[in-house]
Amino acid sequence: MNTRALPPTTWTTGTTEAIKTGTWRAALPAYLKRPAPCQAACPAGGEVARWMEQARAGDWYGAWLTLVENNPFPAVAGRVCHQPCESACNRAQYDGALAICSLERHIGDRALAEGWRYPEAPVGTARVAIVGGGPSGLSAAYQLRRRGYAVTLFEAGNALGGLLRDGIPHYRLPREVLDGEIDRILEQGIDVRLGAVFTTAACFARLAETFDAVYLALGARAPRRLAVLPPDGVRILDGADYLAQVNAGHTPALGRYVAVIGGGSAAMDVARSARRAGHDVRVLSLECEADMPAQREELIEAKTEGVLLVGGVMVSAATQDDEGLRLDCVRVRFHDGKTDVIPGSGFTLEAHAVILAIGQDPRLAPLEGMLEIEAGLIAVDERGATSRAGVFAGGDAASLQRFVTHAIGMGKRAAVEIHRWLEGEPPALPGARPTVPASAINTFYHPRAARIGGGRQAAEHLEQAAAEAARCFSCGQCTYCDNCFDYCPDMAVRRVAAGYEIAADYCKGCGLCVRECPTGSIVLREELR
Ligand SMILES: Cc1cc2nc3c(=O)[nH]c(=O)nc-3n(C[C@H](O)[C@H](O)[C@H](O)COP(=O)(O)OP(=O)(O)OC[C@H]3O[C@@H](n4cnc5c(N)ncnc54)[C@H](O)[C@@H]3O)c2cc1C
Ligand code: SF4
Ligand code: SF4
């Protein structure tokens, strides 16, 4: 054999460090902090994977601190949030989404029970005014105060909470929970002015001149009317007004039969509150029952409590006398915002009272001329900035996403941007970052385990909550499990203070570390050489 024709043998009696296997490579792994899909879907930007990991480790206080970085209302959100995080959860297709909302409620309730407090806020001199003490205004006040601003919160009503207090019924959101989370925000040192109604352009302009920045969180309280109903109908009530009366303990007497018009969450609250007040309640909505915008759980609960849902129906005319109202209705197919009447489907309904829950609009007349108004909302950019420098806005007054956590998220984002604006920093425009896909998770390391009871019930026991937290894939959150370190055939993964790094001289780009990562925290990037 001609040994000269063979390449020289590579061997060593010492370490293999002389062999730079990295030169064979066409791709290089990289540790990447990508948001989990639950975090991207949460309107408040909740870092679910991080607080789940703390909960799993038994650090419940740490988990609460992480939660409240983005949302000072975990016990409230744990009861009323529409839970987009759970729909986005990577575990949904595997064996059931994490019960994120349940755990959030568990941690929020625990914080209230144990009297956990926020760290003391720093004291600064810049002054920010907030108008509107609903979830959006309170979220902004909290975020600004903890950044050291002197915050003055103006609220037209005689209590804080906005629709959390006036709209959402007690049976869904006990007032001691709401009060507990609001009090904790106020303890940071916020100057609250109740009964302060801003009704004229001059009031708003003076505010903008007096304070260094302003956040407007006025909500949407002007009820929408239905043209076919008599305009002066004494038996026709607005849903939010009705709920405000019930929630304040002044339930109006309405007669036996009550028709609620609308198919959203507010309509369900009205219907269920009226049912609790002893009425026979029918809910009439354009959408068929399966398409009603209220959350499934609310529809099921309403029906269980005896509310009759009548979907695919439109009220075409109404007359009233001393006894009540006669509603002429037709059956409809409601699709893509269009209503097709089904010929010959007319019928009549009698009711002692009708309660409208078809939405509300902001009252913006005093702001016209001072700020740009677009399609009935305060026009804001991604930062929540209005057309006037130093004035920001959010919540229902500036968005059609009418959800509590959306309002909280807008308040938080505006506070961050107000801070940057006052500091002379450029806006922190986040942009949508790609999230960790389910395919990036190696499920071999996550044995199947049933989700704890769904819905908004809090995880009852600590063990139950800990077991649920342990189901989290920790998408995009390195848990320092050492899999990449152990599996790398070239010992190209090194432990460093902040986690791991890839030694590029030795990595062949085989991608084993990527495949064995249980959390989707490593990606393989092709290299052009
Ligand atoms: C019946 C009902 C049930 C709902 N249920 C849910 C639910 O289960 N889950 C969910 O996610 N969302 C729900 N929502 C929607 C949610 O409540 C709102 O999206 C959210 O409260 C909006 O917050 P906000 O701070 O923008 O406004 P609001 O909560 O309306 O607060 C605005 C505040 O500003 C004050 N204000 C207004 N104008 C002035 C002024 N000129 N001067 C001084 N103060 C002023 C008001 O008095 C009020 O306190 C529900 C809504 C209703 C009506
Ligand atoms: S606030 Fe809502 S969306 Fe965000 S993590 Fe909690 S339950 Fe999910
Ligand atoms: S598994 Fe955990 S981190 Fe991943 S999406 Fe679900 S809750 Fe979020």
Side-chain angles (χ1 to χ4, degrees):
M1 191 170 78
N2 183 0
T3 49
R4 284 174 173 225
L6 290 174
T9 316
T10 312
W11 65 277
T12 172
T13 52
T15 76
T16 54
E17 295 219 334
I19 309 164
K20 302 279 173 93
T21 40
T23 53
W24 312 350
R25 186 180 67 231
L28 184 67
Y31 293 92
L32 193 61
K33 189 119 183 58
R34 291 179 286 182
C38 52
Q39 180 180 354
C42 171
E47 289 185 69
V48 180
R50 187 150 75 92
W51 62 255
M52 285 275 183
E53 195 184 350
Q54 289 167 305
R56 187 164 55 224
D59 179 10
W60 296 97
Y61 178 65
W64 176 74
L65 283 178
T66 302
L67 257 166
V68 296
E69 270 175 34
N70 295 295
N71 177 5
F73 288 108
V76 169
R79 287 171 168 83
V80 306
C81 182
H82 60 302
Q83 313 165 337
C85 55
E86 295 193 16
S87 312
C89 174
N90 271 339
R91 193 136 187 167
Q93 307 309 320
Y94 183 56
D95 58 2
L98 261 284
I100 303 171
C101 200
S102 259
L103 284 187
E104 187 164 340
R105 176 167 165 178
H106 177 92
I107 296 170
D109 285 357
R110 178 178 279 254
L112 288 173
E114 303 206 1
W116 291 341
R117 293 284 169 260
Y118 297 127
E120 202 167 315
V123 180
T125 50
R127 297 168 67 221
V128 183
I130 293 172
V131 187
S136 202
L138 283 163
S139 163
Y142 161 77
Q143 295 288 356
L144 285 160
R145 184 65 204 96
R146 70 203 292 257
R147 286 170 172 78
Y149 291 95
V151 177
T152 308
L153 176 57
F154 299 95
E155 163 57 45
N158 57 11
L160 295 175
L163 284 173
L164 295 178
R165 188 177 301 282
D166 306 335
I168 299 179
H170 295 219
Y171 61 84
R172 284 212 289 130
L173 179 56
R175 293 313 185 246
E176 60 274 18
V177 170
L178 177 61
D179 290 339
E181 294 202 321
I182 292 178
D183 289 349
R184 200 169 48 204
I185 294 174
L186 300 187
E187 274 171 18
Q188 291 184 300
I190 290 165
D191 179 13
V192 177
R193 312 278 176 90
L194 295 176
V197 197
F198 286 77
T199 47
T200 64
C203 296
F204 281 108
R206 208 170 317 122
L207 203 67
E209 283 152 20
T210 316
F211 286 83
D212 296 301
V214 175
Y215 180 62
L216 301 175
L218 309 174
R221 295 300 187 91
R224 287 189 197 144
R225 310 290 307 168
L226 205 57
V228 295
L229 295 180
D232 56 347
V234 285
R235 293 173 175 278
I236 300 167
L237 288 84
D238 164 54
D241 281 350
Y242 174 73
L243 285 171
Q245 290 180 60
V246 174
N247 290 339
H250 310 301
T251 306
L254 299 178
R256 179 166 173 191
Y257 295 106
V258 170
V260 176
I261 301 183
S265 292
M268 292 311 131
D269 281 346
V270 170
R272 294 172 68 190
S273 298
R275 184 78 194 110
R276 282 172 162 73
H279 304 292
D280 276 346
V281 184
R282 281 188 178 81
V283 173
L284 311 177
S285 100
L286 292 176
E287 298 88 356
C288 64
E289 189 184 317
D291 294 338
M292 285 185 189
Q295 292 165 49
R296 280 309 87 195
E297 211 176 21
E298 291 172 319
L299 294 170
I300 293 166
E301 284 166 7
K303 287 206 295 187
T304 311
E305 291 165 13
V307 170
L308 194 65
L309 303 181
V310 191
V313 164
M314 184 172 77
V315 178
S316 55
T319 48
Q320 69 173 333
D321 57 25
D322 291 346
E323 294 298 305
L325 289 126
R326 192 187 132 102
L327 305 175
D328 294 332
C329 306
V330 280
R331 297 256 166 216
V332 293
R333 273 189 210 96
F334 185 68
H335 56 95
D336 307 324
K338 284 190 292 182
T339 313
D340 295 338
V341 174
I342 301 173
S345 64
F347 65 98
T348 303
L349 264 179
E350 310 251 318
H352 292 114
V354 170
I355 311 180
L356 278 172
I358 54 171
Q360 294 168 295
D361 296 308
R363 290 191 172 100
L364 302 179
L367 293 169
E368 273 164 23
M370 176 184 163
L371 300 177
E372 206 174 294
I373 310 287
E374 208 174 279
L377 301 172
I378 303 176
V380 290
D381 64 13
E382 271 184 294
R383 300 171 296 151
T386 68
S387 53
R388 181 173 174 139
V391 179
F392 294 72
D396 283 5
S399 165
L400 286 175
Q401 297 275 327
R402 302 274 163 88
F403 294 110
V404 170
T405 40
H406 198 74
I408 291 170
M410 286 185 92
K412 179 190 94 173
R413 267 189 303 283
V416 170
E417 294 298 344
I418 288 172
H419 172 64
R420 298 182 76 89
W421 185 75
L422 289 172
E423 293 287 305
E425 291 172 20
L429 296 174
R433 282 199 294 151
T435 58
V436 181
S439 57
I441 307 294
N442 187 335
T443 51
F444 174 81
Y445 299 101
H446 302 283
R448 286 182 196 273
R451 164 189 162 113
I452 57 164
R456 289 197 187 78
Q457 291 307 310
E460 264 181 57
H461 311 293
L462 192 61
E463 302 73 41
Q464 203 185 19
E468 185 61 17
R471 290 180 68 238
C472 179
F473 287 160
S474 298
C475 304
Q477 171 95 13
C478 174
T479 53
Y480 310 106
C481 68
D482 269 0
N483 269 11
C484 50
F485 179 82
D486 290 339
Y487 279 97
C488 177
D490 289 294
M491 290 181 284
V493 174
R494 291 185 176 157
R495 288 199 193 105
V496 290
Y500 307 95
E501 68 177 19
I502 304 290
D505 277 350
Y506 303 101
C507 171
K508 288 201 301 282
C510 69
L512 253 182
C513 55
V514 178
R515 275 202 298 284
E516 295 305 323
C517 175
T519 66
S521 297
I522 324 175
V523 292
L524 205 55
R525 285 184 176 143
E526 208 175 317
E527 284 187 319
L528 294 175
R529 295 189 185 219

mmCIF file of all heavy atoms in Angstrom, residues 487-512:
data_model
loop_
_atom_site.group_PDB
_atom_site.id
_atom_site.type_symbol
_atom_site.label_atom_id
_atom_site.label_comp_id
_atom_site.label_asym_id
_atom_site.label_seq_id
_atom_site.Cartn_x
_atom_site.Cartn_y
_atom_site.Cartn_z
ATOM 1 N N TYR A 487 -24.765 17.236 25.632
ATOM 2 C CA TYR A 487 -24.915 16.502 24.371
ATOM 3 C C TYR A 487 -23.909 16.902 23.299
ATOM 4 O O TYR A 487 -23.720 16.167 22.339
ATOM 5 C CB TYR A 487 -26.334 16.681 23.814
ATOM 6 C CG TYR A 487 -27.334 15.758 24.469
ATOM 7 C CD1 TYR A 487 -28.127 16.188 25.512
ATOM 8 C CD2 TYR A 487 -27.446 14.427 24.042
ATOM 9 C CE1 TYR A 487 -29.020 15.344 26.127
ATOM 10 C CE2 TYR A 487 -28.349 13.573 24.646
ATOM 11 C CZ TYR A 487 -29.137 14.028 25.687
ATOM 12 O OH TYR A 487 -30.015 13.182 26.300
ATOM 13 N N CYS A 488 -23.271 18.037 23.424
ATOM 14 C CA CYS A 488 -22.373 18.489 22.336
ATOM 15 C C CYS A 488 -21.220 17.492 22.174
ATOM 16 O O CYS A 488 -20.428 17.296 23.102
ATOM 17 C CB CYS A 488 -21.804 19.872 22.641
ATOM 18 S SG CYS A 488 -20.639 20.358 21.353
ATOM 19 N N PRO A 489 -21.106 16.836 21.005
ATOM 20 C CA PRO A 489 -20.052 15.823 20.828
ATOM 21 C C PRO A 489 -18.660 16.441 20.745
ATOM 22 O O PRO A 489 -17.668 15.746 20.923
ATOM 23 C CB PRO A 489 -20.434 15.143 19.507
ATOM 24 C CG PRO A 489 -21.418 16.021 18.832
ATOM 25 C CD PRO A 489 -21.957 16.998 19.826
ATOM 26 N N ASP A 490 -18.598 17.743 20.485
ATOM 27 C CA ASP A 490 -17.290 18.390 20.325
ATOM 28 C C ASP A 490 -16.892 19.227 21.527
ATOM 29 O O ASP A 490 -15.912 19.960 21.459
ATOM 30 C CB ASP A 490 -17.319 19.266 19.073
ATOM 31 C CG ASP A 490 -17.344 18.424 17.826
ATOM 32 O OD1 ASP A 490 -16.345 17.738 17.587
ATOM 33 O OD2 ASP A 490 -18.379 18.424 17.140
ATOM 34 N N MET A 491 -17.686 19.115 22.588
ATOM 35 C CA MET A 491 -17.442 19.923 23.789
ATOM 36 C C MET A 491 -17.283 21.397 23.420
ATOM 37 O O MET A 491 -16.408 22.101 23.916
ATOM 38 C CB MET A 491 -16.235 19.396 24.554
ATOM 39 C CG MET A 491 -16.542 18.068 25.187
ATOM 40 S SD MET A 491 -15.202 17.377 26.116
ATOM 41 C CE MET A 491 -14.152 16.788 24.840
ATOM 42 N N ALA A 492 -18.109 21.824 22.453
ATOM 43 C CA ALA A 492 -18.034 23.214 21.985
ATOM 44 C C ALA A 492 -18.946 24.128 22.790
ATOM 45 O O ALA A 492 -18.976 25.328 22.548
ATOM 46 C CB ALA A 492 -18.397 23.280 20.505
ATOM 47 N N VAL A 493 -19.719 23.551 23.732
ATOM 48 C CA VAL A 493 -20.568 24.389 24.581
ATOM 49 C C VAL A 493 -19.838 24.633 25.893
ATOM 50 O O VAL A 493 -19.359 23.681 26.517
ATOM 51 C CB VAL A 493 -21.942 23.709 24.833
ATOM 52 C CG1 VAL A 493 -22.750 24.517 25.827
ATOM 53 C CG2 VAL A 493 -22.704 23.547 23.529
ATOM 54 N N ARG A 494 -19.738 25.875 26.275
ATOM 55 C CA ARG A 494 -19.020 26.208 27.517
ATOM 56 C C ARG A 494 -19.945 26.929 28.474
ATOM 57 O O ARG A 494 -20.744 27.768 28.044
ATOM 58 C CB ARG A 494 -17.831 27.092 27.187
ATOM 59 C CG ARG A 494 -16.815 26.293 26.439
ATOM 60 C CD ARG A 494 -15.571 27.058 26.192
ATOM 61 N NE ARG A 494 -14.621 26.159 25.557
ATOM 62 C CZ ARG A 494 -13.619 26.563 24.828
ATOM 63 N NH1 ARG A 494 -13.415 27.857 24.647
ATOM 64 N NH2 ARG A 494 -12.797 25.696 24.288
ATOM 65 N N ARG A 495 -19.794 26.591 29.746
ATOM 66 C CA ARG A 495 -20.565 27.320 30.768
ATOM 67 C C ARG A 495 -19.872 28.654 31.023
ATOM 68 O O ARG A 495 -18.658 28.692 31.218
ATOM 69 C CB ARG A 495 -20.603 26.528 32.072
ATOM 70 C CG ARG A 495 -21.474 25.308 32.029
ATOM 71 C CD ARG A 495 -21.799 24.905 33.478
ATOM 72 N NE ARG A 495 -22.362 23.578 33.541
ATOM 73 C CZ ARG A 495 -21.707 22.502 33.956
ATOM 74 N NH1 ARG A 495 -20.437 22.588 34.317
ATOM 75 N NH2 ARG A 495 -22.301 21.333 34.009
ATOM 76 N N VAL A 496 -20.654 29.706 31.024
ATOM 77 C CA VAL A 496 -20.121 31.038 31.379
ATOM 78 C C VAL A 496 -21.054 31.635 32.421
ATOM 79 O O VAL A 496 -22.116 31.067 32.703
ATOM 80 C CB VAL A 496 -20.031 31.976 30.142
ATOM 81 C CG1 VAL A 496 -18.949 31.540 29.189
ATOM 82 C CG2 VAL A 496 -21.371 32.085 29.435
ATOM 83 N N ALA A 497 -20.670 32.782 32.960
ATOM 84 C CA ALA A 497 -21.438 33.364 34.068
ATOM 85 C C ALA A 497 -22.911 33.537 33.697
ATOM 86 O O ALA A 497 -23.806 33.221 34.468
ATOM 87 C CB ALA A 497 -20.829 34.700 34.467
ATOM 88 N N ALA A 498 -23.200 33.990 32.466
ATOM 89 C CA ALA A 498 -24.591 34.297 32.105
ATOM 90 C C ALA A 498 -25.314 33.098 31.509
ATOM 91 O O ALA A 498 -26.432 33.230 31.038
ATOM 92 C CB ALA A 498 -24.600 35.451 31.115
ATOM 93 N N GLY A 499 -24.690 31.919 31.494
ATOM 94 C CA GLY A 499 -25.348 30.736 30.929
ATOM 95 C C GLY A 499 -24.359 29.889 30.150
ATOM 96 O O GLY A 499 -23.504 29.218 30.737
ATOM 97 N N TYR A 500 -24.444 29.952 28.825
ATOM 98 C CA TYR A 500 -23.552 29.144 27.988
ATOM 99 C C TYR A 500 -23.088 29.976 26.806
ATOM 100 O O TYR A 500 -23.724 30.941 26.419
ATOM 101 C CB TYR A 500 -24.289 27.917 27.431
ATOM 102 C CG TYR A 500 -24.965 27.085 28.485
ATOM 103 C CD1 TYR A 500 -26.309 27.283 28.783
ATOM 104 C CD2 TYR A 500 -24.267 26.100 29.192
ATOM 105 C CE1 TYR A 500 -26.941 26.531 29.752
ATOM 106 C CE2 TYR A 500 -24.891 25.339 30.167
ATOM 107 C CZ TYR A 500 -26.227 25.569 30.441
ATOM 108 O OH TYR A 500 -26.845 24.832 31.416
ATOM 109 N N GLU A 501 -21.945 29.519 26.220
ATOM 110 C CA GLU A 501 -21.559 30.116 24.941
ATOM 111 C C GLU A 501 -21.013 29.008 24.056
ATOM 112 O O GLU A 501 -20.614 27.943 24.532
ATOM 113 C CB GLU A 501 -20.546 31.247 25.132
ATOM 114 C CG GLU A 501 -19.211 30.767 25.609
ATOM 115 C CD GLU A 501 -18.191 31.893 25.718
ATOM 116 O OE1 GLU A 501 -18.584 33.081 25.773
ATOM 117 O OE2 GLU A 501 -16.993 31.565 25.768
ATOM 118 N N ILE A 502 -21.039 29.278 22.757
ATOM 119 C CA ILE A 502 -20.552 28.293 21.798
ATOM 120 C C ILE A 502 -19.111 28.646 21.425
ATOM 121 O O ILE A 502 -18.826 29.801 21.080
ATOM 122 C CB ILE A 502 -21.416 28.305 20.509
ATOM 123 C CG1 ILE A 502 -22.894 28.079 20.828
ATOM 124 C CG2 ILE A 502 -20.894 27.289 19.480
ATOM 125 C CD1 ILE A 502 -23.273 26.705 21.290
ATOM 126 N N ALA A 503 -18.225 27.666 21.537
ATOM 127 C CA ALA A 503 -16.841 27.899 21.115
ATOM 128 C C ALA A 503 -16.788 27.651 19.613
ATOM 129 O O ALA A 503 -16.790 26.500 19.149
ATOM 130 C CB ALA A 503 -15.900 26.954 21.862
ATOM 131 N N ALA A 504 -16.761 28.717 18.844
ATOM 132 C CA ALA A 504 -16.914 28.618 17.388
ATOM 133 C C ALA A 504 -15.787 27.804 16.744
ATOM 134 O O ALA A 504 -15.996 27.157 15.727
ATOM 135 C CB ALA A 504 -16.971 30.021 16.792
ATOM 136 N N ASP A 505 -14.607 27.786 17.353
ATOM 137 C CA ASP A 505 -13.480 27.047 16.769
ATOM 138 C C ASP A 505 -13.754 25.546 16.707
ATOM 139 O O ASP A 505 -13.145 24.827 15.920
ATOM 140 C CB ASP A 505 -12.218 27.259 17.627
ATOM 141 C CG ASP A 505 -11.522 28.568 17.257
ATOM 142 O OD1 ASP A 505 -11.934 29.158 16.235
ATOM 143 O OD2 ASP A 505 -10.613 28.984 17.990
ATOM 144 N N TYR A 506 -14.662 25.093 17.607
ATOM 145 C CA TYR A 506 -14.853 23.630 17.700
ATOM 146 C C TYR A 506 -16.235 23.166 17.252
ATOM 147 O O TYR A 506 -16.456 21.989 17.035
ATOM 148 C CB TYR A 506 -14.605 23.169 19.149
ATOM 149 C CG TYR A 506 -13.231 23.579 19.608
ATOM 150 C CD1 TYR A 506 -13.050 24.679 20.425
ATOM 151 C CD2 TYR A 506 -12.099 22.891 19.146
ATOM 152 C CE1 TYR A 506 -11.788 25.101 20.803
ATOM 153 C CE2 TYR A 506 -10.828 23.305 19.510
ATOM 154 C CZ TYR A 506 -10.672 24.411 20.336
ATOM 155 O OH TYR A 506 -9.422 24.813 20.681
ATOM 156 N N CYS A 507 -17.193 24.070 17.167
ATOM 157 C CA CYS A 507 -18.559 23.676 16.807
ATOM 158 C C CYS A 507 -18.615 23.274 15.345
ATOM 159 O O CYS A 507 -18.266 24.070 14.468
ATOM 160 C CB CYS A 507 -19.513 24.832 17.073
ATOM 161 S SG CYS A 507 -21.149 24.516 16.404
ATOM 162 N N LYS A 508 -19.103 22.047 15.071
ATOM 163 C CA LYS A 508 -19.209 21.561 13.683
ATOM 164 C C LYS A 508 -20.550 21.950 13.069
ATOM 165 O O LYS A 508 -20.832 21.640 11.928
ATOM 166 C CB LYS A 508 -19.101 20.037 13.647
ATOM 167 C CG LYS A 508 -17.727 19.472 13.928
ATOM 168 C CD LYS A 508 -17.567 18.063 13.382
ATOM 169 C CE LYS A 508 -18.554 17.067 13.924
ATOM 170 N NZ LYS A 508 -18.243 16.576 15.274
ATOM 171 N N GLY A 509 -21.421 22.532 13.883
ATOM 172 C CA GLY A 509 -22.730 22.933 13.369
ATOM 173 C C GLY A 509 -23.682 21.761 13.202
ATOM 174 O O GLY A 509 -24.581 21.793 12.359
ATOM 175 N N CYS A 510 -23.491 20.684 14.041
ATOM 176 C CA CYS A 510 -24.344 19.496 13.882
ATOM 177 C C CYS A 510 -25.779 19.770 14.346
ATOM 178 O O CYS A 510 -26.709 19.087 13.943
ATOM 179 C CB CYS A 510 -23.769 18.318 14.656
ATOM 180 S SG CYS A 510 -23.861 18.526 16.451
ATOM 181 N N GLY A 511 -25.969 20.742 15.221
ATOM 182 C CA GLY A 511 -27.322 21.124 15.655
ATOM 183 C C GLY A 511 -27.903 20.259 16.758
ATOM 184 O O GLY A 511 -29.082 20.394 17.103
ATOM 185 N N LEU A 512 -27.060 19.354 17.352
ATOM 186 C CA LEU A 512 -27.590 18.504 18.433
ATOM 187 C C LEU A 512 -28.087 19.337 19.612
ATOM 188 O O LEU A 512 -29.113 19.046 20.217
ATOM 189 C CB LEU A 512 -26.493 17.564 18.929
ATOM 190 C CG LEU A 512 -26.612 16.094 18.533
ATOM 191 C CD1 LEU A 512 -25.483 15.294 19.155
ATOM 192 C CD2 LEU A 512 -27.950 15.527 18.950
#
